[in-house]
Amino acid sequence: MFKEFPLSYCSSRSVSATLSHCGRMSSMAALCVLLVAFILLTVSGNVMVCLAVCRSRRLQRVANCFVVSLAVTDLLLGLLVLPFSATVELRSGNWSLGGALCNIYISVDILLCTCSILTLLAISVDRYLAISAPLTYSQRVTRLRVALVLISIWVWSLALSFVPIHMGWNTADYHVQHLDWGIGDEDRDGRYCQFEWNNNYIVLYTLCSFYLPLLLMCGMYLCIFRVAREQVRRIRAAMPSFARSPSTAAIAREHKATVTLAAVLGAFVICWFPYFTFFTWTGIKPKRNPPNTVHSVVLWLGYFNSALNPILYPAFNRDFRRAYAELLCCRGF
């Protein structure tokens, strides 16, 4: 009546299942180690940036207040967002901490991303003022004005991230998302902690929070390099008096700082443009799908930008290299 299978067949199935389980466990362990290392790199790197600016006199300039603000944003991302994102990644997208915490997690993620974009926009304006009018830069860019700009950036980012989600503006039916979730019920109906949106909101959000600031920044840096090229031409024409002119030396220093921050902007575009493009494309689709491999790749590519910035500063700026070396007690670095 019952079909009998050879013992070798049962043994082979048991061995293959065991090997498959061991392979999955090994992959999960490797992914866990990689994510933890990435989070530690993000946190430690941005702490280094803050300490370098605070302890080095050569870096204690008004313009570097924006650099510190950007580093604090990346540091908060590493402390408040990445641990939850890593947990979600290891649980295949499932969320078990309830709907209220899910909304807060999404809001903080959007807050820090928006703050990074607006800080980079402020940096581009600061660089334009430093390059185009170096003699009046210190009168235009004061500590008070920089503080007011940074406060405005954080307030606007808070409003853009928390208000729409907690008022339900981002959903198709204008109800607050995920409020019916309980803690620990991630396996019921597939609890994926994602940012919900309707078609009108996604276009407005991505346009105002990413694409428009990005166009403004690119246009600003084009103007900056146009002015810088003209200044370099004038400096070369004034040789050899260039070596004895403190004003031209200051211009050269500003040029180096501008190149560093332009590299930071380029890294931000490379890391975040794929995510916002994917985000916009999936947002206008009539059907939403659970997180997939493409979503994970573009999301963590964006997160990678927070770990990359502390590497770019010393790579393009000698003062940061010296400050890092002093922090690491390696003066011969």
Side-chain angles (χ1 to χ4, degrees), residues 140-328:
R140 291 184 177 183
V141 183
T142 63
R143 292 185 180 274
L144 177 60
R145 290 179 178 176
V146 169
L148 291 176
V149 169
L150 290 176
I151 292 173
S152 301
I153 287 174
W154 281 92
V155 170
W156 175 247
S157 300
L158 278 168
L160 193 63
S161 57
F162 276 82
V163 173
I165 290 179
H166 290 82
M167 295 295 291
W169 296 349
N170 61 304
T171 60
D173 55 1
Y174 297 101
H175 288 86
V176 181
Q177 61 183 25
H178 309 327
L179 285 186
D180 57 336
W181 289 8
I183 297 178
D185 61 351
E186 74 278 6
D187 293 329
R188 189 177 63 191
D189 299 329
R191 301 305 194 192
Y192 299 112
C193 185
Q194 288 184 277
F195 184 30
E196 296 185 9
W197 50 79
N198 56 48
N199 293 345
N200 295 329
Y201 180 81
I202 186 60
V203 173
L204 181 63
Y205 169 74
T206 56
L207 181 64
C208 295
S209 66
F210 183 75
Y211 291 110
L212 184 58
L214 179 61
L215 289 176
L216 292 175
M217 283 186 282
C218 292
M220 197 69 69
Y221 274 101
L222 286 177
C223 295
I224 289 172
F225 285 112
R226 185 181 304 169
V227 174
R229 185 174 57 183
E230 179 64 21
Q231 289 178 348
V232 170
R233 187 188 64 81
R234 293 178 181 178
I235 290 174
R236 290 176 178 174
M239 294 290 285
S241 59
F242 163 71
R244 298 190 298 270
S245 174
S247 61
T248 51
I251 291 175
R253 185 177 64 249
E254 296 294 347
H255 284 190
K256 292 180 181 179
T258 301
V259 170
T260 302
L261 296 172
V264 172
L265 172 62
F268 183 87
V269 174
I270 293 173
C271 291
W272 279 109
F273 189 82
Y275 173 77
F276 275 92
T277 303
F278 178 81
F279 181 70
T280 305
W281 176 71
T282 55
I284 61 177
K285 290 172 60 180
K287 182 180 179 180
R288 297 180 64 248
N289 297 318
N292 52 29
T293 303
V294 177
H295 177 269
S296 298
V297 169
V298 296
L299 177 62
W300 283 92
L301 177 62
Y303 289 155
F304 178 69
N305 180 248
S306 298
L308 186 60
N309 286 339
I311 300 173
L312 293 176
Y313 294 130
F316 288 90
N317 192 295
R318 182 181 299 175
D319 293 337
F320 268 100
R321 285 199 296 271
R322 290 174 178 173
Y324 275 28
E326 291 177 359
L327 289 173
L328 298 173

